Amino acid sequence: MRDATRQPLVWESLQAAIAGRSALDILDAGGGTGGFAVPLARLGHSVTVVDPSPDSLAGLERRAAEAGVTVTALQGDAGDLADLLPAASADLVLCHSVLEYVDDPAAALASVHTVVRPGGVVSVLAANPVATAIHRALAGNFAEAADVLRTGTWGEKDPTPRRFTGDTLAALLSKAGFTVGEVQGVRVFTDLVPSRFAEDDPDGLVELERVAITHPVLRDIATRLHLLAHR
Ligand SMILES: C[S@@+](CC[C@H](N)C(=O)[O-])C[C@H]1O[C@@H](n2cnc3c(N)ncnc32)[C@H](O)[C@@H]1O
């Protein structure tokens, strides 16, 4: 799993959202092996990861031990947060690359809402079907590109069960009771340019992505869409 440093602009957005606040209660729903949870714990926050995968939680515990921090690992489903954690107990909840896999994204976000404190923030990151359509088309898979635009998946072999447009994500968050911020497009160019260009000038690419992240046209073709929303 990616470390937060591999997603520098999502990390920057989170940092800006909690700027100047210390010792926060943070929940990473579907946090996997702790790519964000462990760096957040290193900043002094109190971090809990809820994830159904025992293997991921074991990886999280190893990563936390290597970093010399403690992260609370709870096995569970994003839809059951209300049973696992006290209501209104988190200042920040991460829900990154998880809504694609849960049984019911609306129920999962309703569950997230119960654990966010009034004034608290949820950070949602999700796969964008438009980017996948571009990638499938560039690989010559035109029918799959059309399918992913129509249905959010490109076929039976697609490992991602569903994808979301910015509008769909914003509507889901709104319906769950959140006040939704701006849609950000994460990885507009990174997955399109040849990797040798990215390796030659990584800082230039991040700077380009920083300009593209809220660009009104380009953000809609990004590999992932990121939204911050407030309770
Ligand atoms: C693509 S990984 C993302 C991990 C991490 N959030 C990240 O951004 O790197 C998807 C994660 O969602 C978890 N997951 C799958 N179904 C879930 C569910 N119903 N509730 C919570 N997490 C779930 C998986 O175990 C896995 O750790």
Side-chain angles (χ1 to χ4, degrees):
M1 196 192 67
R2 286 176 192 286
D3 186 276
T5 55
R6 301 280 307 277
Q7 307 204 57
L9 300 185
V10 176
W11 181 246
E12 277 180 25
S13 282
L14 288 180
Q15 296 287 95
I18 59 175
R21 302 178 65 198
S22 57
L24 296 179
D25 293 312
I26 298 179
L27 166 66
D28 194 345
T33 59
F36 276 85
V38 168
L40 285 165
R42 289 186 71 164
L43 295 178
H45 302 298
S46 171
V47 185
T48 299
V49 168
V50 170
D51 199 288
S53 160
D55 287 349
S56 294
L57 293 177
L60 162 71
E61 280 169 353
R62 278 195 299 275
R63 183 180 263 179
E66 278 164 20
V69 295
T70 302
V71 173
T72 304
L74 298 178
Q75 190 175 358
D77 190 291
D80 297 332
L81 296 175
D83 300 330
L84 296 165
L85 297 160
S89 58
D91 300 296
L92 169 66
V93 177
L94 275 55
C95 189
H96 288 179
S97 308
V98 174
L99 293 178
E100 295 90 324
Y101 305 99
V102 298
D103 288 341
D104 180 345
L109 287 178
S111 160
V112 167
H113 189 264
T114 64
V115 298
V116 178
R117 291 198 170 112
V121 184
V122 59
S123 169
V124 171
L125 189 68
N128 176 10
V130 174
T132 306
I134 292 170
H135 297 148
R136 302 312 293 171
L138 290 178
N141 298 311
F142 303 131
E144 292 178 354
D147 277 350
V148 77
L149 287 176
R150 277 193 291 260
T151 69
T153 69
W154 49 259
E156 282 175 10
K157 292 189 178 155
D158 187 346
T160 304
R162 69 174 86 77
R163 295 175 177 81
F164 300 87
T165 65
D167 286 348
T168 315
L169 280 179
L172 278 168
L173 280 160
S174 235
K175 198 168 168 215
F178 291 102
T179 304
V180 184
E182 189 173 26
V183 177
Q184 297 186 325
V186 176
R187 300 171 78 92
V188 170
F189 293 103
T190 299
D191 301 313
L192 289 175
V193 298
S195 53
R196 72 190 160 90
F197 294 160
E199 282 154 19
D200 282 352
D201 186 9
D203 294 344
L205 183 55
V206 170
E207 196 45 46
L208 173 61
E209 293 284 7
R210 191 173 279 113
V211 177
I213 195 167
T214 51
H215 188 283
V217 174
L218 292 173
R219 70 174 176 201
D220 291 337
I221 68 162
T223 301
R224 290 201 172 77
L225 301 171
H226 183 222
L227 280 91
L228 292 172
H230 285 81
R231 174 168 176 183

